[in-house]
Amino acid sequence: MMPSQDGLSTTGDNLLQPPDQARGSTRNRTRQSSPARKLGMTRRQKDRRDFKENENPEEKEKRHKEQELKPLYKELLYTIIHKLGKPASAEVFTDNQLHQYIREAFSMAEDEHQSLTDRVQNTEPPVYCLMATVKEAKGILGKDVSGFSDPYCLLTILEDEKESKTRRSRPKPRKAVVKDAVSDEEVYTTETKKQTLNPIWNQTFVLEFEETAGASFHMEMWDRDEEVSLAQKLEEIRTNFHGLRRMIKDAKKLKGQDDFLGNIVLRLKDLHCTEDNWYVLEPRTETYPDRGQCHLQLKFTHKERDGTLSAGRSAYVNYCGILQQFVQSHISKQQGSGPWKGDLCGEGQTLLELYATQNDLSPFLQDLAKWVAYSKLYQSLEVDSSLLLQQLTSIEYHWHQQELPYQQKQELGDSLHGFLQYGLCLVAKYRDIFPPTQDANPRLHTLLRILSQICKTRAFQKLNPAQFDLHDEVNDAVHSGTQEWFTIKKGLHQPMTKDLTETVSALSRLIGEVQEDIKHNKDSWNRVFVSAVQVDVFTIVYQKLDSLLAGEVRDTLNQMEGKMEQSLANGLFPLYLSLQAIHKDKAFLQKSVKLLELTNFHEGFREALPYWLNKAFSTTQDRVERAVQVDQLQPLQSGMAPIKHSTSAVDLVACVQPICQLWEQLSWPDPEEAFMLMVKLTEDVCKIVVNYCRILKERVRALSENSDHSSAVNKLCVVVNDLEHLRSVLTRLPQQLNWAGLRERTRHVIGEPQFHNVLPSQLQHAQGVLSREIRSALETVGRKLNSDIETYVRSMSTRRRLPSKSTEDAVVPLMKYLEKELQYMNENLVQENFNSLLTPLWTNSIRTLYQVATQQKQEGGLMVFCQRLQYTLQCLEQCFYAEGNGLPLETLHTDDYKSLKSHLTHNSLNCQQLIEKFLDRKVWEQKVYSGEKYGAVTLIASYRRSDLRLRVEVLNAANLLPMDSNGSSDPFVQLCLEPRHVFPEVEPRTTQIKNCDLNPLFDEAFEFMVSVEQCQAVGACLVVTVLDYDTLRTDDFEGEAFLALRAVPGVGGGPGYQPDPSPAQIRLPLMHPKPNDDSILKLLESRRGEREAQVFVKKRRQREKQSQEEKR
């Protein structure tokens, strides 16, 4: 059954809005952009009855209350008085509670409430109705022979008295209650569904009643039986044998009597306003207890309500007004607690449910009313926009399930149209209404989703048939809103005077606003628009603001042409940086766009660029000078991680850093101009560095005038560290200024030679100045140390002090001094400079030791003196090496060091050690000697440890030189064990003389009684001398050879050692000594007081005289 209030009054649009709100709401919806124009083509604006102009506000409020609020109030009083059923809420409210609620919601005084209540109580009561819809049933009994039934339902309402009378009038209990209990007019019958156990009816009936107390709703389900022919019954028996029992039972029934399937009895007072449930079909007997279920929808409604309550308005319009008033009242009570999310208190929900059910308002109409009310309230009160989305979803769901009357369709279309207009107005002003916060972004997203959902609903497409593209409309709204926003901001930041500085300041503030807006669009709003309506708002806004801002910048810069000065340039710099930041944001544009107007914005700032560079240079120079003036040239920090430079070095780096930052900030787009800019910046940095060196030297002179020498050296060390720190900063300058990146940019406009000849040369010049200053300071420190070292060395080597002190004690003063000074230098100089100081200091120390060592006369005491110097050299080496923390060994072991060490080593040995060293050298020369220029001798040698015998067998000699006038020689071989202090008791052995033979065969064996220790002593060797026998004069020297005894089998130990090994045959080339060529002999010769040395030297000098090497 359809409700009786299908028609709508047009007065419902402004229902419950005060006159000023009703008229003001149209202002919020007005838009000059295309959405209003396009929507206006398809929607006819409704005529609105407005209040009189210039009317007293109190009169307006009074008339609004009389015409709008009181009719609704009476409708609610009528609803409360004649309420039916229980509300859906679990809480039950009394009439007094409901009265109190509506009094507060409608702001009614007590006398007004009482007057309206009396008036409503005197009205005609409605007809109480129960609207029952029989939807379907399932699992019912099969009463026919076929196993199915032909069910139908009987519905009625029985009062307790009527039901009891019916039972008493019957002679015996019967299954049926509805049948024959009341007249046929009071019983409603559904259609009969043939041969089914799951019938579907979907039939609605309105059952009237007087009171709910003592009344019950009865529904009985019956199986309709009709007379059939004998042939049909026989066919049923044949096809279904089990139907025989059913036929026997049918035969007992009266002709045409229907079968009872079950019933449902519900007491009206126990029902809710609306019921929608499955109910179990109850039996009258226990024969078939499971009789299935039936689906019923029940709703209490009114018929013939008093039409004077609301002046003939439809129930739908009244419902809209009541809902809107309840929501306004609820929101006003909840101010400050956030947007309203759609929850009303229990009294309000109960009254809305009662009114909707009593007036048979469908869920579709209720949702439509909520949409209309909420969409209006959204424009004036703080309402959660998600409510609108929910109502749109409900309207879309109901659209094809129920046909709306014409007026409701019109209202729905107008509401959707109006909200689209209003929503697009909000979109145009999204910056102000939805700031980029966590709370506002979800609200903007929901609004955009609502607009999108409206355009997608079938209702909107049906009621607004014209083509409507939300994407384009949102684009237009954002365009127009951005233009309006920029105009407003431009007006706010207009310069107060025509002064150019004020003009620049105003433009800078405007650009700052634009920059912030672009950032918010990129980081916040764009995600919302793209997610909700697939609109790239960042691109739209960026292009629009790019165009608007480019015009403002051009106009301002044109005013300054030819009038540039330092103050104006200073004001333009932050403006340039802001424009640059805005221009960089173009990288976030999601699609290719036309050439932006700000692309070459830097060209307008060329005139200001020199002023910016000059400001950076002069400011840095002033800061550096002030930093040096307050610098006390003390290290900044000591301890585990010392900072060895002073405050001015740190300040200088901090001062130079802004120049490097200036390069990054400018990011000058033109490659050729960028190169010239880099040249200028590098030149400025180098000038600052050179000037820093100059004023730092002046500062150290000023601080050192009245200080002691030690303090002056300390300050000089700090200066060296400052310069070294600055040099390391300059080394990093190409990376800081990104020369490599500039080289790539300028590759096509600047040649490789030009690039590398200009920039690196500037840097190299500054580094050269620093290096010279560092060397000069280190040389000053080094001169002091070298002078002290030489004093200590010469004092230590004084002849008269040799007996009084040991070698270790003599070196102590020098080492203590070096330890103290070098430790201080290490602590107060950076590692690079400390190493730079150590190298020349070591070189000078070696030179000093060599001078002292070579100036000593070759006389007594020289050995002890050299031993002391050698120990000194070892101590110095350890000191400068410092266990790997000082100079590396390859730096320490120079040629001068090696020469000095050799000299001191030789002079530190006694004569026996020198002789051993000489013989070791001869053995080594024998090993490396090649050829047989003077012939060769062949031996067989072995050592038997069992009897401590060294056996040497001389086999032959070969290729001897002819020493006699006859062209031949009379050779013999002399064997001697050297050195003599190791073999004092061993006499030399001689072979027989072989006359006139240059290749004599001797074949003679000799044995020496010597110990293993003697054979393994340092320098132990067998000296083999070949002589030419002369009768009247001294024998001629043929040659000599040296055989190390360690090389004789049986002497040396090791793996595979045998006590008596096999002899080894050895061929030794003969050698001749070089006269006056041996330093050891010279040293031995100088020791005139040692007889052993003189004997050995005499013998060797005799051999040198006989040597053929002298004759060459």
Side-chain angles (χ1 to χ4, degrees):
M1 298 180 64
M2 296 302 294
S4 59
Q5 55 277 8
D6 290 342
L8 282 177
S9 170
T10 58
T11 62
D13 287 336
N14 288 334
L15 192 60
L16 293 184
Q17 291 188 5
D20 54 343
Q21 280 191 3
R23 186 169 57 253
S25 64
T26 60
R27 175 174 52 84
N28 293 335
R29 297 183 181 184
T30 303
R31 284 186 78 247
Q32 299 302 323
S33 58
S34 58
R37 182 179 68 255
K38 188 171 289 187
L39 285 168
M41 295 168 58
T42 60
R43 299 294 313 152
R44 178 178 59 83
Q45 295 291 332
K46 298 174 65 175
D47 297 331
R48 298 182 179 271
R49 296 188 301 175
D50 207 352
F51 294 95
K52 298 177 181 178
E53 297 291 337
N54 302 323
E55 188 175 3
N56 189 314
E58 294 182 359
E59 292 296 328
K60 291 180 181 180
E61 185 69 27
K62 182 177 179 181
R63 185 150 58 86
H64 174 69
K65 192 171 188 179
E66 290 293 332
Q67 294 182 1
E68 304 294 343
L69 298 184
K70 286 188 177 181
L72 299 179
Y73 198 83
K74 291 187 289 184
E75 286 284 348
L76 288 174
L77 290 173
Y78 193 84
T79 299
I80 296 172
I81 293 172
H82 302 291
K83 65 180 180 180
L84 298 171
K86 299 178 181 179
S89 62
E91 188 176 1
V92 178
F93 301 97
T94 64
D95 290 354
N96 289 335
Q97 289 175 314
L98 297 178
H99 286 163
Q100 181 65 25
Y101 173 76
I102 62 173
R103 274 189 56 198
E104 295 176 358
F106 282 81
S107 302
M108 289 292 176
E110 179 63 32
D111 56 342
E112 291 177 317
H113 169 73
Q114 192 60 46
S115 173
L116 293 174
T117 302
D118 294 341
R119 201 185 309 177
V120 171
Q121 288 177 342
N122 294 328
T123 58
E124 290 292 328
V127 176
Y128 299 154
C129 301
L130 178 66
M131 181 180 293
T133 300
V134 183
K135 301 292 289 182
E136 57 182 322
K138 60 183 179 180
I140 65 174
L141 295 177
K143 291 291 187 176
D144 294 341
V145 175
S146 62
F148 293 98
S149 295
D150 302 325
Y152 66 94
C153 299
L154 301 179
L155 297 84
T156 191
I157 293 178
L158 295 178
E159 298 177 1
D160 290 347
E161 294 182 0
K162 189 180 297 184
E163 183 177 0
S164 61
K165 289 179 181 180
T166 304
R167 290 177 179 174
R168 288 195 301 268
S169 64
R170 292 173 179 165
K172 62 178 181 178
R174 299 187 55 187
K175 299 177 180 179
V177 174
V178 176
K179 275 192 175 184
D180 303 327
V182 292
S183 61
D184 293 341
E185 291 81 6
E186 298 178 19
V187 177
Y188 298 87
T189 307
T190 66
E191 298 175 351
T192 301
K193 299 299 179 180
K194 297 291 187 179
Q195 296 298 295
T196 180
L197 299 181
N198 301 293
I200 298 175
W201 285 286
N202 283 325
Q203 288 184 262
T204 302
F205 306 91
V206 179
L207 290 70
E208 298 178 1
F209 61 93
E210 295 180 0
E211 293 291 340
T212 56
S216 301
F217 168 74
H218 290 258
M219 190 216 76
E220 293 180 355
M221 188 178 296
W222 295 82
D223 171 43
R224 188 176 299 281
D225 284 339
E226 299 177 353
E227 294 185 10
V228 295
S229 64
L230 180 61
Q232 289 176 329
K233 289 186 177 182
L234 291 175
E235 179 63 23
E236 289 179 1
I237 293 173
R238 187 182 67 82
T239 57
N240 186 3
F241 183 77
H242 295 286
L244 180 60
R245 187 173 59 178
R246 178 75 251 178
M247 286 191 62
I248 296 173
K249 189 174 181 180
D250 288 346
K252 297 179 181 180
K253 292 194 306 180
L254 296 176
K255 185 177 180 181
Q257 182 179 355
D258 296 341
D259 292 320
F260 179 76
L261 297 177
N263 71 341
I264 297 172
V265 179
L266 304 172
R267 299 182 67 83
L268 297 188
K269 66 178 182 179
D270 297 332
L271 296 178
H272 289 83
C273 299
T274 302
E275 297 276 0
D276 187 350
N277 294 312
W278 284 87
Y279 297 94
V280 177
L281 292 171
E282 299 292 343
R284 285 294 182 179
T285 65
E286 297 300 327
T287 308
Y288 298 102
D290 187 7
R291 292 174 174 267
Q293 294 177 312
C294 184
H295 184 193
L296 298 179
Q297 289 180 349
L298 305 175
K299 180 165 65 173
F300 287 112
T301 63
H302 286 174
K303 286 175 61 177
E304 301 177 8
R305 285 171 67 96
D306 194 314
T308 63
L309 297 174
S310 56
R313 288 199 187 110
S314 68
Y316 169 76
V317 173
N318 289 336
Y319 183 84
C320 291
I322 294 169
L323 174 65
Q324 188 168 336
Q325 189 65 24
F326 282 178
V327 174
Q328 286 180 341
S329 173
H330 183 84
I331 294 177
S332 64
K333 292 179 181 179
Q334 303 295 325
Q335 286 182 354
S337 59
W340 181 60
K341 298 184 180 299
D343 297 327
L344 287 174
C345 62
E347 295 93 331
Q349 294 177 352
T350 297
L351 288 170
L352 287 172
E353 182 183 2
L354 290 173
Y355 188 83
T357 55
Q358 290 176 10
N359 290 276
D360 191 21
L361 290 179
S362 66
F364 192 4
L365 290 176
Q366 294 179 49
D367 288 334
L368 176 59
K370 290 178 181 178
W371 160 258
V372 173
Y374 295 168
S375 62
K376 290 179 180 178
L377 289 171
Y378 179 81
Q379 302 177 32
S380 56
L381 296 174
E382 195 172 5
V383 177
D384 195 320
S385 52
S386 61
L387 285 176
L388 304 180
L389 206 57
Q390 296 172 9
Q391 299 311 129
L392 278 176
T393 304
S394 298
I395 289 173
E396 180 70 6
Y397 172 75
H398 291 300
W399 177 252
H400 281 310
Q401 295 186 358
Q402 180 179 343
E403 181 70 21
L404 283 178
Y406 175 76
Q407 288 189 354
Q408 275 101 341
K409 285 185 179 180
Q410 287 296 106
E411 180 164 15
L412 176 58
D414 291 342
S415 177
L416 296 176
H417 159 256
F419 192 84
L420 271 177
Q421 285 186 337
Y422 177 72
L424 290 172
C425 284
L426 297 184
V427 170
K429 300 179 181 296
Y430 69 93
R431 295 174 174 85
D432 303 320
I433 300 173
F434 304 103
T437 62
Q438 293 182 351
D439 296 332
N441 279 349
R443 293 192 288 112
L444 174 60
H445 186 268
T446 306
L447 172 65
L448 294 173
R449 285 185 59 200
I450 291 171
L451 300 182
S452 177
Q453 189 66 24
I454 288 175
C455 297
K456 292 178 181 178
T457 57
R458 290 171 290 182
F460 178 79
Q461 296 171 1
K462 180 71 174 178
L463 300 174
N464 293 273
Q467 185 68 27
F468 182 84
D469 191 338
L470 179 64
H471 190 278
D472 293 342
E473 299 303 324
V474 172
N475 277 354
D476 293 344
V478 172
H479 265 290
S480 61
T482 302
Q483 176 71 60
E484 181 181 355
W485 176 85
F486 185 83
T487 302
I488 293 172
K489 294 298 181 182
K490 178 182 175 183
L492 289 175
H493 297 294
Q494 282 292 333
M496 303 301 294
T497 64
K498 293 185 178 180
D499 181 63
L500 289 179
T501 303
E502 178 63 26
T503 302
V504 172
S505 178
L507 179 59
S508 181
R509 293 193 298 271
L510 176 62
I511 293 176
E513 295 268 13
V514 171
Q515 185 179 2
E516 184 178 9
D517 184 71
I518 289 176
K519 180 180 183 300
H520 291 328
N521 276 281
K522 172 172 65 71
D523 298 338
S524 180
W525 289 317
N526 193 61
R527 290 197 298 269
V528 178
F529 276 87
V530 171
S531 173
V533 289
Q534 291 75 52
V535 172
D536 184 6
V537 71
F538 171 71
T539 300
I540 299 171
V541 170
Y542 187 91
Q543 289 181 288
K544 185 67 177 178
L545 292 178
D546 173 80
S547 175
L548 295 171
L549 203 56
E552 294 296 324
V553 172
R554 280 194 300 269
D555 294 342
T556 302
L557 293 178
N558 288 337
Q559 297 178 31
M560 300 180 185
E561 190 172 356
K563 303 176 183 178
M564 189 61 63
E565 57 185 21
Q566 189 65 53
S567 60
L568 281 179
N570 294 343
L572 285 175
F573 186 68
L575 190 147
Y576 172 87
L577 295 182
S578 298
L579 288 175
Q580 184 186 68
I582 292 174
H583 190 61
K584 287 181 179 178
D585 283 336
K586 69 179 181 179
F588 296 96
L589 298 176
Q590 297 300 318
K591 56 183 180 180
S592 58
V593 297
K594 62 181 181 180
L595 184 65
L596 298 171
E597 296 189 32
L598 284 176
T599 299
N600 296 318
F601 73 94
H602 67 283
E603 296 177 354
F605 294 89
R606 283 198 181 101
E607 193 175 352
L609 186 57
Y611 293 90
W612 296 344
L613 299 178
N614 179 66
K615 175 77 182 314
F617 176 77
S618 59
T619 302
T620 303
Q621 186 73 0
D622 293 341
R623 290 179 61 188
V624 169
E625 291 179 357
R626 290 196 299 270
V628 174
Q629 289 172 3
V630 299
D631 192 358
Q632 297 300 316
L633 297 180
Q634 295 294 329
L636 279 177
Q637 178 182 339
S638 60
M640 295 299 294
I643 299 176
K644 300 180 180 180
H645 44 266
S646 64
T647 57
S648 63
V650 178
D651 293 339
L652 176 62
V653 175
C655 294
V656 173
Q657 191 62 27
I659 296 181
C660 300
Q661 292 176 352
L662 177 63
W663 166 257
E664 297 178 2
Q665 290 174 328
L666 290 175
S667 297
W668 201 258
D670 185 270
E672 191 169 2
E673 294 177 357
F675 175 74
M676 301 306 298
L677 179 61
M678 177 64 78
V679 172
K680 174 62 177 169
L681 290 175
T682 306
E683 180 183 357
D684 289 347
V685 172
C686 294
K687 285 181 179 179
I688 292 171
V689 169
V690 173
N691 187 55
Y692 173 76
C693 293
R694 178 183 59 80
I695 59 180
L696 190 62
K697 288 170 62 177
E698 295 175 357
R699 179 64 177 167
V700 73
R701 290 195 193 100
L703 292 177
S704 302
E705 285 181 356
N706 299 322
S707 61
D708 56 13
H709 182 73
S710 177
S711 177
V713 171
N714 295 348
K715 289 180 172 51
L716 200 57
C717 290
V718 175
V719 170
V720 170
N721 293 335
D722 289 344
L723 298 180
E724 184 62 39
H725 179 66
L726 188 55
R727 184 165 62 177
S728 66
V729 172
L730 279 183
T731 304
R732 297 192 299 268
L733 189 64
Q735 288 76 27
Q736 290 180 323
L737 294 178
N738 193 16
W739 284 7
L742 178 65
R743 181 68 207 119
E744 290 299 321
R745 289 178 54 197
T746 60
R747 188 171 298 278
H748 301 293
V749 293
I750 303 295
E752 191 80 19
Q754 181 182 0
F755 187 92
H756 288 287
N757 289 337
V758 175
L759 290 178
S761 63
Q762 292 178 327
L763 199 59
Q764 290 168 4
H765 172 71
Q767 289 176 329
V769 172
L770 288 175
S771 298
R772 287 194 299 272
E773 295 297 336
I774 291 173
R775 285 197 303 272
S776 174
L778 290 176
E779 288 172 359
T780 303
V781 176
R783 281 195 296 269
K784 171 68 170 56
L785 294 177
N786 287 328
S787 176
D788 293 343
I789 291 173
E790 184 175 357
T791 301
Y792 277 105
V793 170
R794 292 189 180 279
S795 174
M796 178 189 67
S797 62
T798 303
R799 284 289 306 277
R800 60 184 175 83
R801 299 181 60 186
L802 287 177
S804 61
K805 286 188 178 182
S806 66
T807 300
E808 292 80 1
D809 293 339
V811 178
V812 168
L814 173 62
M815 299 314 298
K816 283 186 177 180
Y817 170 79
L818 281 177
E819 182 179 358
K820 176 184 175 182
E821 294 297 326
L822 293 182
Q823 181 179 359
Y824 176 82
M825 295 299 172
N826 187 35
E827 291 175 352
N828 292 276
L829 286 176
V830 296
Q831 191 63 40
E832 294 82 357
N833 292 329
F834 181 65
N835 291 340
S836 299
L837 177 65
L838 285 180
T839 302
L841 195 62
W842 168 256
T843 303
N844 289 326
S845 299
I846 295 298
R847 187 178 299 114
T848 300
L849 284 175
Y850 192 81
Q851 290 174 356
V852 172
T854 55
Q855 288 174 1
Q856 185 70 27
K857 295 181 179 180
Q858 303 286 336
E859 56 187 14
L862 178 62
M863 182 180 69
V864 178
F865 174 72
C866 289
Q867 288 175 350
R868 182 171 291 182
L869 291 183
Q870 185 180 23
Y871 181 73
T872 303
L873 179 62
Q874 293 174 356
C875 293
L876 287 176
E877 181 179 0
Q878 293 176 359
C879 179
F880 280 84
Y881 181 63
E883 298 180 351
N885 297 317
L887 293 177
L889 292 177
E890 54 269 19
T891 303
L892 294 173
H893 295 171
T894 61
D895 292 339
D896 290 343
Y897 165 82
K898 294 176 182 178
S899 176
L900 174 62
K901 185 177 181 180
S902 177
H903 175 79
L904 294 178
T905 301
H906 291 165
N907 284 275
S908 300
L909 299 177
N910 56 37
C911 64
Q912 293 181 351
Q913 291 173 329
L914 288 174
I915 292 171
E916 292 170 356
K917 196 169 187 65
F918 176 83
L919 293 174
D920 277 340
R921 183 183 296 177
K922 285 298 182 180
V923 169
W924 177 80
E925 289 178 359
Q926 184 72 54
K927 287 182 179 180
V928 299
Y929 186 78
S930 61
E932 294 183 356
K933 177 180 178 181
Y934 302 108
V937 61
T938 304
L939 307 176
I940 294 178
S942 65
Y943 181 80
R944 293 196 304 272
R945 293 197 179 195
S946 58
D947 53 3
L948 302 180
R949 293 178 182 275
L950 173 65
R951 179 182 175 81
V952 179
E953 185 178 352
V954 182
L955 295 181
N956 58 46
N959 303 321
L960 298 178
L961 294 177
M963 304 301 292
D964 295 337
S965 58
N966 58 4
S968 183
S969 292
D970 302 321
F972 65 96
V973 176
Q974 185 182 71
L975 303 179
C976 183
L977 293 180
E978 295 284 351
R980 297 304 301 166
H981 61 270
V982 176
F983 304 99
E985 298 179 356
V986 179
E987 296 295 333
R989 307 295 177 87
T990 305
T991 65
Q992 296 180 0
I993 301 171
K994 301 296 180 179
N995 295 321
C996 300
D997 194 348
L998 296 179
N999 296 287
L1001 178 64
F1002 298 102
D1003 198 15
E1004 296 182 44
F1006 304 92
E1007 290 185 350
F1008 300 89
M1009 296 293 293
V1010 291
S1011 66
V1012 176
E1013 290 75 14
Q1014 288 177 303
C1015 294
Q1016 293 179 346
V1018 177
C1021 63
L1022 174 66
V1023 180
V1024 181
T1025 307
V1026 180
L1027 299 171
D1028 172 47
Y1029 176 78
D1030 286 333
T1031 303
L1032 298 179
R1033 56 180 181 175
T1034 305
D1035 296 334
D1036 295 325
F1037 179 67
E1038 287 278 358
E1040 63 182 355
F1042 298 83
L1043 173 63
L1045 296 185
R1046 290 175 178 271
V1048 175
V1051 175
Y1057 163 75
Q1058 297 178 1
D1060 299 321
S1062 300
Q1065 181 174 316
I1066 303 171
R1067 186 180 179 91
L1068 298 174
L1070 297 178
M1071 301 185 301
H1072 283 218
K1074 294 180 180 180
N1076 301 318
D1077 190 46
D1078 195 287
S1079 60
I1080 296 178
L1081 285 180
K1082 292 179 180 179
L1083 187 57
L1084 287 170
E1085 192 173 16
S1086 67
R1087 300 182 180 181
R1088 302 186 183 279
E1090 298 186 26
R1091 182 176 179 279
E1092 183 179 358
Q1094 296 303 315
V1095 170
F1096 183 82
V1097 171
K1098 181 179 179 181
K1099 183 178 180 180
R1100 293 312 304 173
R1101 292 302 185 194
Q1102 185 179 0
R1103 289 283 182 261
E1104 290 178 359
K1105 290 179 181 179
Q1106 295 174 337
S1107 173
Q1108 294 291 327
E1109 293 289 330
E1110 185 180 15
K1111 300 176 183 179
R1112 293 190 307 142

